[in-house]
Amino acid sequence: MKVALFVPCYVRAVSPQVAEACLKLLRHLGVDAEIPDSQTCCGQPMANAGYEADTAALKRRFEKIFESYDTIVGPSSSCVTFVRDHYGDAFKGRIWEICEYLHDVVKPTALPGRFPHKVSLHNSCHGVRMMGLSSPSEQNIPYYNKLRDLLSLIDGIEVVESERPDECCGFGGLFSVEESAISVKMGQDRVQRHLATGAEYITAADSSCLMHQAGIIAAEKLPIKTLHITEILACGL
Amino acid sequence: MRKIDYAKVDWQDETLWLVRGKRDRLAKAIPEWEALRDAASRLKLYSNSHLPELLEQFEAKATAAGAVVHWAKDAREYREIIGGLLTGHGVKRFVKSKSMLSEECGLVPYLESLGIEAIETDLGERIIQLMGTSPSHIVLPAIHVKREEVGRLFEKEMGTEPGNADPTYLTHAARRNLREKFLTADAGMTGANFAVASTGEVVVCTNEGNADMGTSIPKLQIAAFGIDKIVPDRESLGVFTRLLARTATGQPVTTYTTMYSAPREGSEFHIVIVDNGRSRILADREHFRLLNCLRCGGCMNTCPVYRRIGGYAYSYFIPGPVGINLGVMADAKRYRDNLSACSLCASCSSLCPAKVDLADQIYKARQHTHASAKKALMSKGMGLVMARPWTLEAALCAGQAGMKALKACGVKWGKGRELPDIASRKSYKKLRDDK
């Protein structure tokens, strides 16, 4: 049974290497994955801005593209939660964020590759608070972090979490345009906290948060880089 | 687009984060914390769906204890009932403790128009009143004011030493100044954090003892609260008092938790129960959980946007996540601009002690309160580009060169952030075809 890789629009636009890393990872772990044609966008940016009604056509396209797949996996907790929560029941139990899928379904016990670097985990809002990829800092529940669990399979890596480990970086889709002064300030603060850990890389399950933080890193020429978590997990493939 | 006050932003953010940190330490010291939040949420949903019987039970108990209960359907009735009581008793000087309901209903300006001196006795509220402004936070009304500013204000208003901004010194000065007002006031008023249906008690939680001072001396005592403050009984009250101060200020409990029922001997106790739009919130499918709100301010302290812009950046008198939603319910057209002050991070929903679905409500409210033509255009444009794969590819193709050109011209994604590079089409196509 083929597994479909859902490639969100901004992954296609600014970081297609993330899709490549996902394919490599899934195939290495024995999952027969492919990228269905004609994908564009799930509609989340418009819906979060208040225009969910404009996304009806995108929803129909999405349903058609993925209708023949029982399992859909995508490298974005934000987009996956959006589809899961706003597309009706058709996608419940069928669509997974890739870390969630690897951690809960595939359950790899080893991954090849060595990444001898200090990496600061960016626990993205939708991943933490809507998908449960890690324990939200607001709540009194035992600590867990699925991203950290997966990264621990990579040799040589040192994983750290910054102060305020799941504070929003300020991307927020159209929020980053409409309230750009607040968005940039939040991003600067977030990047500074990642830097303060002494990490060389920021990693996350969401390329969107990373794209925004990379923009700030570039503007301030800061000594830290961003990498999507699948790029690290696939470093030996 | 809202602006950032760069001179104050880090100080304000750190100050509020400190409160969040204190709250976290206390919340994490209680093993049953999440069960308490669940209980609070369910109790509120129960109370708010049994308002007629609980409110009438409260009225019967309070009346039997000797209080007089008044009902106000809106802000005007609230003002007129209180104004009528005060003028009827010949009140010239009136002291009140902190009450967001009084802000909501414009009580102080109304009383001043009747020639009554109305004095805020909560220290933060007093600072705000002397400054002639309004609270920027519902629990910490003067959180945006630096102590040096308070020093200058008190120097002018109370004759404190020039240049002395020591918090203890200034607090003592305010206390002396207020003491005289307490002793000479003709009436005292409180809001309520809770009202207990089974006993007819009004519960007021404060740290400064000002509510107790203000209600212990005058012959006329008034307590006013919204219908959503009702809780069934003392057992359920215990759930809320365990959550309230911990979430609000990171204290195990407020210094004073006073339960008022009967009037003091020789004095009168009037209780005003107010709707002012709460029934409408209760009837709203998307927003009814707003009535769960304890007004603890926890959502403000955790909100990464609020911490960076402060309360005055919002047009509604209650700021932050809960204020965004309350504003929409009060007057969607007038207050919809606040909806953009949210990145949908949902930290508020994750922290709220009574589990108000704050972020979900903001998402839903955005769907039918479109404020910005620019955003509508961006959304439509994005919809067109994403409608077909070839339009997306064409846009990306143009975007690849376009983004480079923009960056070469120094165009940024907001001041302080570079635009991303668009990846080439070839790399993605090869990947997709590689089945």
Side-chain angles (χ1 to χ4, degrees):
Chain A
M1 189 69 215
K2 286 261 187 197
V3 164
L5 188 69
F6 160 37
V7 183
C9 55
Y10 61 87
V11 170
R12 156 68 191 90
V14 303
S15 47
Q17 75 280 4
V18 171
E20 187 179 1
C22 290
L23 274 187
K24 278 187 190 164
L25 256 177
L26 289 167
R27 287 173 181 168
H28 169 79
L29 293 167
V31 178
D32 189 7
E34 65 181 19
I35 302 180
D37 282 337
S38 308
Q39 299 189 46
T40 60
C41 171
C42 64
Q44 187 192 196
M46 294 89 113
N48 282 359
Y51 298 89
E52 191 176 331
D54 288 355
T55 66
L58 293 179
K59 182 184 165 197
R60 281 195 301 276
R61 291 196 75 248
F62 196 95
E63 283 166 349
K64 200 158 168 12
I65 289 167
F66 293 103
E67 69 183 346
S68 61
Y69 298 93
D70 286 338
T71 303
I72 306 151
V73 176
S76 159
S77 65
S78 193
C79 304
V80 169
T81 344
F82 177 74
V83 171
R84 200 182 271 172
D85 293 348
H86 295 270
Y87 272 26
D89 292 335
F91 288 93
K92 292 210 163 68
R94 234 178 104 209
I95 188 161
W96 303 77
E97 185 280 324
I98 188 155
C99 294
E100 183 186 38
Y101 185 70
L102 294 178
H103 187 277
D104 297 355
V105 180
V106 181
K107 299 177 183 169
T109 51
L111 280 172
R114 195 175 144 69
F115 197 77
H117 301 284
K118 192 168 180 178
V119 175
S120 184
L121 262 186
H122 183 73
N123 300 305
S124 52
C125 299
H126 293 184
V128 176
R129 299 187 191 91
M130 295 178 186
M131 182 167 275
L133 289 178
S134 61
S135 44
S137 64
E138 297 88 8
Q139 293 178 17
N140 184 1
I141 58 175
Y143 175 88
Y144 72 92
N145 193 317
K146 295 181 184 180
L147 307 192
R148 187 187 274 274
D149 290 351
L150 290 171
L151 288 170
S152 71
L153 300 174
I154 298 295
D155 191 28
I157 194 166
E158 185 190 350
V159 179
V160 294
E161 287 175 75
S162 72
E163 192 212 347
R164 305 192 190 183
D166 54 11
E167 188 181 29
C168 180
C169 67
F171 171 62
L174 286 187
F175 173 81
S176 68
V177 180
E178 199 178 10
E179 296 289 2
S180 75
I182 306 172
S183 169
V184 168
K185 177 61 182 148
M186 285 165 71
Q188 288 168 336
D189 292 353
R190 197 75 191 90
V191 171
Q192 283 303 328
R193 289 199 170 82
H194 283 303
L195 261 176
T197 65
E200 304 157 72
Y201 293 92
I202 304 171
T203 194
D206 285 78
S207 300
S208 49
C209 309
L210 294 174
M211 170 174 77
H212 158 69
Q213 290 176 79
I216 282 156
I217 293 167
E220 299 185 29
K221 301 189 171 50
L222 298 171
I224 195 162
K225 295 187 272 282
T226 60
L227 270 182
H228 190 267
I229 184 167
T230 54
E231 295 179 81
I232 299 177
L233 295 175
C235 70
L237 302 171
Chain B
M1 187 182 90
R2 286 173 171 78
K3 292 195 177 78
I4 298 264
D5 177 357
Y6 290 98
K8 269 194 175 177
V9 58
D10 291 330
W11 168 74
Q12 182 161 282
D13 169 53
E14 292 289 347
T15 306
L16 290 161
W17 187 262
L18 214 69
V19 182
R20 156 88 204 259
K22 280 162 75 181
R23 172 260 172 214
D24 285 358
R25 281 191 292 283
L26 288 182
K28 281 165 192 176
I30 294 188
E32 68 274 28
W33 184 257
E34 298 307 324
L36 277 176
R37 288 177 68 227
D38 273 333
S41 169
R42 282 184 281 117
L43 281 165
K44 277 285 179 183
L45 290 175
Y46 172 84
S47 303
N48 290 326
S49 53
H50 292 76
L51 284 176
E53 62 200 75
L54 291 176
L55 289 168
E56 281 171 18
Q57 190 188 5
F58 175 88
E59 181 185 34
K61 291 283 176 183
T63 307
V68 183
V69 176
H70 308 258
W71 299 86
K73 73 168 190 290
D74 56 21
R76 205 188 70 180
E77 284 193 5
Y78 160 95
R79 289 192 301 265
E80 288 176 358
I81 290 167
I82 295 171
L85 283 168
L86 297 183
T87 48
H89 285 73
V91 171
K92 293 269 172 286
R93 177 174 275 180
F94 166 75
V95 287
K96 66 177 284 295
S97 70
K98 194 169 159 30
S99 158
M100 287 316 286
L101 180 64
S102 73
E103 300 282 342
E104 178 183 324
C105 299
L107 180 66
V108 170
Y110 174 75
L111 294 181
E112 284 169 349
S113 77
L114 297 179
I116 297 167
E117 186 191 5
I119 297 147
E120 297 284 359
T121 60
D122 170 89
L123 180 56
E125 288 284 349
R126 184 68 181 147
I127 292 168
I128 292 300
Q129 185 176 35
L130 291 172
M131 288 177 84
T133 55
S134 53
S136 71
H137 185 292
I138 63 171
V139 171
L140 314 161
I143 190 72
H144 63 291
V145 186
K146 291 206 168 191
R147 59 196 174 100
E148 289 77 15
E149 296 172 68
V150 178
R152 286 193 292 274
L153 178 74
F154 282 13
E155 184 192 326
K156 193 173 110 223
E157 298 287 340
M158 303 172 193
T160 54
E161 289 169 24
N164 195 336
D166 177 62
T168 310
Y169 170 74
L170 293 174
T171 305
H172 283 168
R175 193 158 87 150
R176 271 195 308 277
N177 181 275
L178 280 170
R179 186 63 49 114
E180 186 252 317
K181 315 272 185 204
F182 283 126
L183 291 170
T184 54
D186 311 305
M189 185 181 129
T190 67
N193 296 92
F194 309 100
V196 184
S198 67
T199 60
E201 289 159 320
V202 175
V203 185
V204 179
C205 306
T206 67
N207 278 325
E208 299 165 19
N210 58 309
D212 305 82
M213 282 289 283
T215 52
S216 296
I217 302 161
K219 296 273 186 224
L220 173 62
Q221 179 188 349
I222 303 170
F225 56 85
I227 53 174
D228 52 324
K229 294 292 174 190
I230 200 84
V231 300
D233 50 28
R234 282 186 172 177
E235 280 74 25
S236 46
L237 176 67
V239 171
F240 295 112
T241 50
R242 291 188 75 194
L243 288 163
L244 180 66
R246 286 186 170 88
T247 316
T249 50
Q251 298 167 274
V253 70
T254 43
T255 315
Y256 301 91
T257 301
T258 307
M259 298 161 81
Y260 298 102
S261 55
R264 292 192 332 275
E265 213 174 294
S267 66
E268 291 177 30
F269 183 29
H270 293 262
I271 297 170
V272 188
I273 304 176
V274 188
D275 186 324
N276 201 36
R278 285 161 181 74
S279 299
R280 213 159 42 80
I281 296 176
L282 186 60
D284 190 283
R285 272 170 190 279
E286 292 173 359
H287 290 288
F288 68 93
R289 279 196 171 81
L290 275 176
L291 293 189
N292 277 23
C293 175
L294 308 183
R295 299 291 191 276
C296 70
C299 62
M300 288 157 213
N301 305 338
T302 202
C303 176
V305 175
Y306 175 87
R307 274 187 271 109
R308 286 171 179 84
I309 58 177
Y312 293 159
Y314 302 77
S315 58
Y316 193 58
F317 80 104
I318 297 182
V322 75
I324 294 174
N325 287 303
L326 287 168
V328 166
M329 284 312 297
D331 185 341
K333 227 176 181 157
R334 190 163 162 200
Y335 299 117
R336 66 187 178 185
D337 64 300
N338 297 316
L339 284 162
S340 68
C342 169
S343 64
L344 291 178
C345 81
S347 179
C348 49
S349 310
S350 183
L351 178 138
C352 176
K355 298 199 158 182
V356 181
D357 50 346
L358 294 156
D360 281 353
Q361 290 191 24
I362 291 173
Y363 174 88
K364 287 173 186 159
R366 281 179 180 175
Q367 306 306 325
H368 44 73
T369 47
H370 297 148
S372 144
K374 183 182 152 199
K375 207 160 65 169
L377 202 68
M378 283 171 72
S379 175
K380 292 272 183 230
M382 207 180 287
L384 283 176
V385 167
M386 299 301 180
R388 288 159 206 88
W390 71 264
T391 46
L392 172 61
E393 290 305 328
L396 289 177
C397 202
Q400 213 187 339
M403 210 68 114
K404 270 193 194 130
L406 285 174
K407 287 171 86 166
C409 299
V411 173
K412 291 189 188 302
W413 177 13
K415 199 168 175 286
R417 180 179 49 194
E418 299 285 348
L419 287 160
D421 290 313
I422 304 288
S424 81
R425 177 161 186 248
K426 245 194 237 158
S427 60
Y428 181 67
K429 191 170 182 313
K430 184 176 173 300
L431 185 69
R432 217 184 46 204
D433 294 342
D434 175 28
K435 286 188 181 162

